[in-house]
Amino acid sequence: MTASDTVFARPARASAVREFGSSVVTIMVKELRSRMRGRRAFIVLTVYLAILALITYGVYVIVAPNARGITGGGFGGGGFGGQANASALIGQSIFTLLSIFQLILICFIAPAFTAGQISLEREKQTLDLLISTPMRPSAIVIGKLAAALAFVVLMIVAAIPITAIVLMYGGASVDDIVRQQLVLLATALVLGAIGLFYSALLKRTQAATVLTYITLLALTLGTTMLFIFWTVVANQTENGFGVGPPKRAPEQLMYMNPGIAMLDVVSNTEPGGFGGINSTLAQLRGNAPDMNGEVECQGDICRPIDRNGNPIDDVASADSGYWWPRISATFVVVAALLTLAATRLVIPPGMRWAFRRPRRPTGPAPIPASAIVELSEESDR
Amino acid sequence: MIGTPVVETRGLVKRYGDHLAVAGVDLLVGPGEIYGLVGPNGAGKTTMMKILATLLAPSAGEAYVTGIPVGDDPLEVRRRIGYMPDFYGVYDDLRVWEYLDFFARCYGVPANRRATMIGELLEIVGLTEKRDEYVESMSRGMRQRLCLAHTLVHDPALLILDEPASGLDPRARVELREILRELRGMGKTILISSHILPELGEMCTGVAIIDRGRVLRSGTIGEIERSLRATALLRVDLLGDEAAVNAAREWLGTDPRIADVLGGMSNADGAVRIEAAFDGTPDAQADLLRAMVEAGHRVVGFSQATSDLEEIFLKVTGQIDEETAA
């Protein structure tokens, strides 16, 4: 068996998955080789952790004296219970701010890593070499996304020890940290996929980067503003603000908003969480007592109901985990769709059908590999 | 030709809007050939090569690589070809061996063979001592050789090299030519393009001269040359005033073997040069000169314009211009 035989041998169906996997790994190894080399990655990671550590310290310095005051330490009351509450308040504050800042940082960093992945290859004219290899375009795209996310995941995971400080103070549990991590990872995934999609769609990295950040703004500030605007307009009647149950924009508008997901996580920490954020989140989905204060009574027990007539549970627990699983799931689905779209865009135009079609050789029969080698050897002699 | 051709196209057409980049090309390249595609920039060489490299879909016609239709099974075709585009970049931030290792992985070369294979390839292209250097630090000629090495990582039957010598200094060209000879010795079939015919002349077993998406002539360089050498371009330098020169032109025009008389430009040394397309052997040329002198024309120079490959190329493309104009 010559070297050529192995190269020419068609891969069996069974090994197709393995081949796909090794292609993804190939791209990842190459990307990480050039990405992690030198000082850049090291500096980015250090700065990122330093910022988070600084925030943690800052929150502690600001909150600690106030917390003791509020929970009674300063008024001489409290005792043990007061100490514990003060500690929990510090922990919750740190967790909240750390989570939000981490989300903001990830929102800015994740797209930056992927928005050039394909377009840079186009600009540097390396894409043709890459796509003329027998790797499947989907493997190339997924490998690139995975390589970019690998570093972002490293950043997210490297920050866990800082976040874990809150476990010392209380106020947030391991479950909360797990939820926070899931939201961060889902956000990184979807933003990475958005960057990659634009990178495959557009020729220039600059354009791809700009569009990615515009999309990010649209998903966060844009959806929030649209929600408010929509709600205001919906509540306007011919006579100005009308009577009757308040209307609101569809909650699905918020399903792509990473900020809402993170607020959901931080507002549901034990014990209690931040009631303010919580009732705002509840308002978003209309599951909050409105001004009418309608109640539904069964016998002696009366429960508040929302305008749809559904009972409202205790506000703090009612929304626990309502938003973040929905938003994270949406992110995963959207990321998958965008990756698929990016794959189609990488395939040369006009060749797209060829990657779908079952292999059905037409025309002259292929020559066996051995024949080529023999013939060419003959012509040498 | 023995066996299935390594490259075969039938009526290949590629249209970009109204522009016909490739206008019905039939190519046939047998195993072990070095086949040259020659044509001016924009002739359609790159488009044809991209179609064969499965990076472009043809608008019409068929293309086969080792008998496999390129549109039906692009991944399989890619396993059998090594493609070097005319413009390409390299990953600057990788070392030379990492670069080749990356592409070897892309082609699914097993790990145990990669290391030795990279050593062998670097030897072939003469970059052994650059193994651990960054691609960034390499000269253009070295990058070109590195890119050539990358086309070989999976031991393909066919190499498609688009203008591999463009932008190289003469020394690097010679080196490249040596490498290609060596590859031919290894049994590779090579499809190579250039806008300069002499570059290919010496090493190609066959060439196709291409202009505006059509194959104007194809065959060995010798065949093409012979088909064109039938008419030689004579340069005749004359002394005398305008009347004498006109008389000479008229005299030449009466000869049936002369197709066309051109020119009448004064030289620096006072002679006037006229050019005539002459259809005849060197013997006939000598007879013509004698007859001309005997007729009283004051000939001080008489030569045949040397028809080098470049000129062949110009003639072929020029002729077609005239044909299409007519």
Side-chain angles (χ1 to χ4, degrees), chain A residues 3-4 6-11 19 22-23 25-27 29-31 33-35 37 121 124-137 348-351 353-355 357-369 372 375-380, chain B residues 2-5 8 10 31-32 50 53-57 64 66-76 78-80 83-85 87-95 97-99 101-103 105-107 113 134 147 150 154-157 184-188:
Chain A
S4 312
T6 31
V7 174
F8 286 149
R10 282 176 184 236
E19 199 184 73
S22 85
S23 298
V25 171
T26 298
I27 297 285
V29 167
K30 184 243 144 200
E31 291 291 322
R33 247 180 198 154
S34 45
R35 193 183 293 270
R37 187 143 40 207
E121 296 248 2
K124 293 172 88 182
Q125 298 179 308
T126 49
L127 190 63
D128 270 2
L129 291 182
L130 194 58
I131 58 174
S132 63
T133 67
M135 286 190 298
R136 296 205 153 261
M351 300 297 287
W353 52 272
F355 286 86
R357 219 194 217 186
R359 295 176 172 183
R360 181 169 39 80
T362 55
I367 356 169
I372 301 173
L375 284 174
S376 42
E377 276 165 8
E378 263 171 32
S379 62
D380 290 336
Chain B
I2 359 150
T4 317
E8 185 177 2
R10 291 184 208 143
K50 280 197 164 170
T54 73
L55 294 178
L56 269 182
Y64 303 93
T66 64
I68 302 171
V70 289
D72 278 7
D73 199 348
L75 294 185
E76 185 53 34
R78 289 172 188 186
R79 286 191 186 92
R80 302 185 175 213
Y83 171 59
M84 178 168 165
F87 297 107
Y88 61 88
V90 285
Y91 300 110
D92 289 341
D93 42 9
L94 292 183
R95 293 173 204 278
W97 77 266
E98 288 171 342
Y99 184 82
D101 185 68
F102 169 63
F103 278 104
R105 284 166 184 256
C106 290
Y107 283 94
R113 244 194 15 241
Y134 282 105
C147 188
H150 116 271
H154 54 303
D155 195 18
R184 193 186 169 214
M186 290 165 60
K188 305 285 177 208

Side-chain angles (χ1 to χ4, degrees), chain A residues 61-372:
Chain A
V61 166
I62 293 166
V63 173
N66 294 335
R68 291 202 182 98
I70 291 166
T71 52
F75 294 100
F80 267 130
Q83 286 281 325
N85 280 344
S87 183
L89 191 55
I90 295 170
Q92 260 173 24
S93 308
I94 290 177
F95 182 71
T96 302
L97 274 154
L98 207 52
S99 301
I100 290 169
F101 266 95
Q102 221 177 329
L103 183 75
I104 291 171
L105 288 175
I106 293 300
C107 280
F108 280 100
I109 292 168
F113 280 162
T114 53
Q117 288 278 48
I118 311 284
S119 52
L120 262 183
E121 296 248 2
R122 269 199 204 109
E123 280 164 26
K124 293 172 88 182
Q125 298 179 308
T126 49
L127 190 63
D128 270 2
L129 291 182
L130 194 58
I131 58 174
S132 63
T133 67
M135 286 190 298
R136 296 205 153 261
S138 46
I140 296 176
V141 168
I142 290 172
K144 289 206 161 258
L145 184 61
L149 288 180
F151 188 67
V152 179
V153 168
L154 175 66
M155 295 174 81
I156 294 173
V157 170
I160 292 183
I162 297 181
T163 314
I165 286 177
V166 305
L167 296 178
M168 263 170 33
Y169 290 103
S173 63
V174 174
D175 285 356
D176 294 321
I177 296 179
V178 169
R179 281 187 209 122
Q180 177 228 42
Q181 293 287 310
L182 289 178
V183 169
L184 286 174
L185 293 175
T187 306
L189 176 70
V190 78
L191 291 176
I194 290 171
L196 194 73
F197 170 74
Y198 282 128
S199 188
L201 180 70
L202 302 168
K203 283 205 170 67
R204 317 289 314 175
T205 303
Q206 249 178 348
T209 310
V210 169
L211 264 182
T212 307
Y213 283 115
I214 288 177
T215 308
L216 170 65
L217 281 181
L219 291 183
T220 50
L221 296 182
T223 52
T224 310
M225 272 152 44
L226 182 63
F227 192 94
I228 294 168
F229 182 73
W230 186 320
T231 306
V232 169
V233 169
N235 282 312
Q236 241 168 354
T237 62
E238 284 160 13
N239 317 320
F241 287 93
V243 284
K247 301 182 183 77
R248 91 210 133 77
E251 65 177 55
Q252 282 78 4
L253 213 54
M254 291 305 199
Y255 275 16
M256 283 289 287
N257 192 326
I260 298 294
M262 194 52 98
L263 286 179
D264 188 32
V265 170
V266 299
S267 64
N268 285 298
T269 50
E270 298 297 331
F274 286 79
I277 302 175
N278 224 323
S279 66
T280 308
L281 290 176
Q283 294 274 9
L284 287 182
R285 53 181 279 235
N287 187 8
D290 55 42
M291 301 308 257
N292 302 333
E294 288 173 54
V295 289
E296 179 190 64
C297 293
Q298 290 178 335
D300 293 338
I301 309 155
C302 286
R303 305 164 77 193
I305 53 168
D306 66 18
R307 59 161 205 286
N308 297 323
N310 298 319
I312 299 165
D313 300 314
D314 173 40
V315 169
S317 59
D319 277 306
S320 171
Y322 180 83
W323 288 101
W324 75 263
R326 283 170 173 75
I327 294 174
S328 301
T330 313
F331 281 176
V332 172
V333 171
V334 170
L337 292 176
L338 287 175
T339 309
L340 197 68
T343 301
R344 308 311 291 169
L345 291 169
V346 168
I347 302 172
M351 300 297 287
R352 281 170 197 157
W353 52 272
F355 286 86
R356 255 191 316 224
R357 219 194 217 186
R359 295 176 172 183
R360 181 169 39 80
T362 55
I367 356 169
S370 50
I372 301 173

